[in-house]
Amino acid sequence: MTADSAPEPASPGPSAGPPPRGPSADDDAGVALASPRGRWVLACAVLASGMAMLDGTVVNVALPTLGRDLDASISGLQWVVNAYMLTLSALLLLGGALGDRIGRRRTLVIGVVWFALASALCGLAQDAGTLIAARALQGVGGALLTPGSLALVRSSFRPGDQAKAVGAWSGLGGVAGAVGPFLGGWLIDGPGWRWIFLINIPLAAVVLLAARHVPESRDEHTATQRFDVPGAVLAALFLAGVSFALIGASGDASVAAAVLPGIGGLLAGAAFLAVEHRRRDPMLPLGLFRSRLFSAANVMTLCLYAAIGGILFLLPVQLQTTLGYDALRAGTATLPITVLMLLLSASAGDLARRVGPRLPLTLGPLVAAAGVLLMLRIGPHSSYATDVLPAVVVLGVGMSVFVAPLTATVLASVDASRAGLASGVNNTAARIAQLLVVAALPLAVGLSGTAYADPDALDTAFGKAAWGCAGLFVLAALAAVAFVRPRPADWHAEAGNEPHCKANVAVSAPPLEPGVCGGEGDERGPRPT
C-alpha cells in the first residue's frame, strides 16, 4: 500500500473484527469525539502536526540570525531550508506507507521521537554544517509525522464524528499556525534561535503522553507488499543532485562541483522513473498521470508552490535586512496569509463545488500574482500599513481562493480508491517545488555569498524574485484555462458528493488527505477502498 491511502475507521481492539465501512457503519465503532479519549486523540493529532508546522513557519524568519551567528553564506542558508525539504519530500510517500503497514499510531510515535531528537541536535548545533545535517534528520521525522496526523483523526473516530473531528483538527491547526509567527519571533529575539528547535522537545513529550490514549489502526492489505526502498533512494539522489548543482552554481563551487552533481541527479531521476515503471508496488504509480486532469493539477501545483516558496523564502530576509524589522515583526508580517486561509478556504471549496474548478484555479493565482507584484513597493523606508500589509493580504486572498479547489481537483481526477495516494503525490510535488525554488532562486536573481546581508543588493534581488514568482502564478492560471474544464471528463465524483476539502491549515503545502474529503454534511468519513 502506498502512502496516504484512505484509512479505515479503527476497531476497538484486535478481536473486534473488521472496521465498519460506508454510511451503514455502526456509529458506536471507534472513538467518540466528546469523550475524554476523543479529546486525547485530537490533542495528539493537532500537537503532532503543530510541531512540523512551527518549524515551517519560523525557520525562514530565523535565517538572517542564523547567518550572523553561524557565519553562513546564502548557500548555507539555502541548505538549512532544503536539507529538511530534501528528506521530507523523498520519504513522505514511504512514511505514509509505513503507517499503513505497522500502524499509524506507532509510526507517529516513532516520528515524534525522531523529530524531537533531531530538533535537539539542531538546537545544539555550533556550525552551519551540523545544523544542516540535523535538519536533514528532522526531515526524516517529518516524513513520518506529516502523513500520520490527519490519518489518525480519520481512522480513530467513529463515522458519525469524523467530519466534526476533521473540522476541529483543521481549526485548531489553523490556530497553531497563527500562533507560530508570534512564538517563533519571540523566541528568536528573546531566548535565541536555538529555542525554535528546542521547543519541540516539550511538545513531543505532550504528544507522546496523548498517544497513549490513541487506538492503533493499520491497513491489513499492505501486509504482503514490499516497501519501495529503491524508489525512495533514487528520488532522494535526484533531489539532492539537482539541489547541489543549483546551490553550488550560485556559490563558490567550481564548474565541475556544480555540474557533476546535477548530471548524477538527472541520471538518478531517469533511473527512478524506470524503477517505478517496472515495479509491482511502486512508491509513485506512473499510471496516475494518464489522467490529463491529474497531470495538469500537479503542473499547477509545481508552479503555485514554487511561487509561494520563493517569495516566502526571501520576504522575511527582506523585511529584516532592508527594513530593519526584528524577527517578531518579520514573522507576524505574514500572519494575514494564515488567517485568511483559515477563514476563507472552506468557502472557496464550496465555490469550486458550485461553479467548477476552473474559475477559482484561474482567478486565485492571478490575485496572488497581484499580491506579489505589490511587494515591489517593499523597500527601504516602506511602511507596514501601506506597503507590506496590502501585499500580504492580496496574496493571502489569492491563496485562499485556489488551495482548496486545487486539492479537490486532484482528488477528483482519480478513482476514489486512489484518492489518498493522489493527495500524497500532490503534497510531495508542492514540497519538491519549494525545495527546487529555494535552490534556484538566489542563482536566478544574482544573490550569492553574504549579499543577503547587504540591504541594497538584497533589495535588488528581491525585486527580481517578485517578478519571477508573479510569473509562476500567472503560468499556473494559464494552465488552468488551458487544461481544466468546469466539469472535466475525468472528474471522478459521486453525484452529490464531490470532493470538498476543509483541512487547509498550512501555507507550505496543500492539505494531505488520507482519503476523499466528504462534502458538507457528509459524516461518513473516508470512502472504503
Side-chain angles (χ1 to χ4, degrees):
M1 176 65 69
T2 48
D4 272 341
S5 27
E8 300 168 351
S11 59
S15 62
R21 290 171 175 263
S24 62
D26 181 2
D27 279 356
D28 291 332
V31 178
L33 178 61
S35 66
R37 191 180 193 188
R39 288 189 284 271
W40 277 112
V41 173
L42 189 61
C44 178
V46 170
L47 290 174
S49 63
M51 286 174 59
M53 191 181 301
L54 181 63
D55 270 27
T57 303
V58 302
V59 167
N60 284 5
V61 178
L63 291 178
T65 304
L66 289 171
R68 288 193 301 270
D69 284 5
L70 300 179
D71 193 24
S73 65
I74 186 66
S75 61
L77 299 184
Q78 287 172 277
W79 275 116
V80 169
V81 176
N82 274 4
Y84 176 82
M85 278 292 186
L86 174 63
T87 50
L88 176 65
S89 302
L91 301 176
L92 186 63
L93 294 176
L94 204 60
L98 185 66
D100 287 340
R101 177 185 286 257
I102 72 170
R104 299 180 181 101
R105 183 180 71 86
R106 181 180 299 175
T107 303
L108 185 77
V109 167
I110 294 171
V112 167
V113 173
W114 188 299
F115 196 88
L117 292 175
S119 296
L121 292 176
C122 290
L124 297 174
Q126 299 299 312
D127 54 68
T130 304
L131 178 59
I132 291 166
R135 286 281 287 164
L137 291 174
Q138 248 193 334
V140 178
L144 301 176
L145 273 178
T146 303
S149 173
L150 184 54
L152 276 185
V153 175
R154 286 286 198 177
S155 61
S156 298
F157 289 101
R158 62 188 187 183
D161 283 345
Q162 284 183 11
K164 294 177 183 177
V166 170
W169 177 88
S170 177
L172 292 171
V175 172
V179 170
F182 290 104
L183 178 61
W186 177 78
L187 289 172
I188 295 166
D189 290 334
W193 64 264
R194 298 180 186 279
W195 282 95
I196 66 174
F197 301 112
L198 296 177
I199 196 173
N200 289 326
I201 298 173
L203 284 176
V206 177
V207 174
L208 294 176
L209 175 65
R212 298 173 59 190
H213 303 271
V214 177
E216 185 60 279
S217 64
R218 59 175 56 85
D219 189 334
E220 301 297 339
H221 298 295
T222 64
T224 60
Q225 297 180 2
R226 294 179 297 173
F227 290 123
D228 186 8
V229 175
V233 171
L234 289 170
L237 291 175
F238 163 68
L239 295 173
V242 174
S243 297
F244 267 106
L246 292 171
I247 293 175
S250 64
D252 298 326
S254 64
V255 174
V259 172
L260 290 179
I263 295 174
L266 293 176
L267 291 175
F272 170 78
L273 294 177
V275 167
E276 299 304 281
H277 178 69
R278 297 173 184 171
R279 191 175 175 88
R280 289 185 58 186
D281 301 312
M283 183 175 72
L284 176 62
L286 300 180
L288 286 174
F289 293 94
R290 294 193 187 102
S291 166
R292 176 174 174 268
L293 182 59
F294 181 78
S295 298
N298 279 283
V299 168
M300 292 181 61
T301 297
L302 290 171
C303 293
L304 292 171
Y305 282 90
I308 294 168
I311 203 65
L312 295 184
F313 173 65
L314 285 183
L315 179 60
V317 184
Q318 170 80 343
L319 293 175
Q320 293 177 76
T321 300
T322 306
L323 278 71
Y325 282 22
D326 58 21
L328 178 59
R329 289 186 66 193
T332 55
T334 58
L335 180 60
I337 297 176
T338 303
V339 173
L340 286 167
M341 290 184 68
L342 180 62
L343 296 177
L344 302 179
S345 287
S347 299
D350 284 326
L351 175 65
R353 190 168 49 158
R354 291 196 303 269
V355 305
R358 183 166 60 179
L359 178 62
L361 290 180
T362 303
L363 182 62
L366 292 178
V367 173
V372 171
L373 290 179
L374 284 175
M375 293 183 185
L376 293 170
R377 301 168 59 195
I378 300 176
H381 313 298
S382 291
S383 163
Y384 179 77
T386 60
D387 299 312
V388 181
L389 181 60
V392 296
V393 166
V394 174
L395 175 60
V397 170
M399 290 175 60
S400 300
V401 170
F402 71 69
V403 168
L406 179 64
T407 301
T409 301
V410 168
L411 295 178
S413 66
V414 299
D415 293 329
S417 63
R418 310 188 91 183
L421 172 61
S423 174
V425 171
N426 186 243
N427 189 279
T428 301
R431 297 177 188 278
I432 290 173
Q434 295 184 74
L435 183 153
L436 295 179
V437 79
V438 169
L441 191 59
L443 174 63
V445 300
L447 199 62
S448 61
T450 57
Y452 68 90
D454 181 345
D456 292 333
L458 179 61
D459 189 45
T460 300
F462 182 76
K464 295 177 182 178
W467 280 108
C469 292
L472 288 170
F473 278 125
V474 172
L475 187 60
L478 293 175
V481 171
F483 299 109
V484 179
R485 298 290 178 264
R487 284 293 183 274
D490 50 355
W491 182 275
H492 296 271
E494 296 176 359
N497 187 33
E498 295 179 1
H500 172 55
C501 294
K502 296 182 179 180
N504 305 300
V505 298
V507 174
S508 60
L512 186 59
E513 299 292 336
V516 177
C517 290
E520 189 170 323
D522 175 17
E523 296 188 349
R524 295 180 302 164
R527 296 176 185 163
T529 56

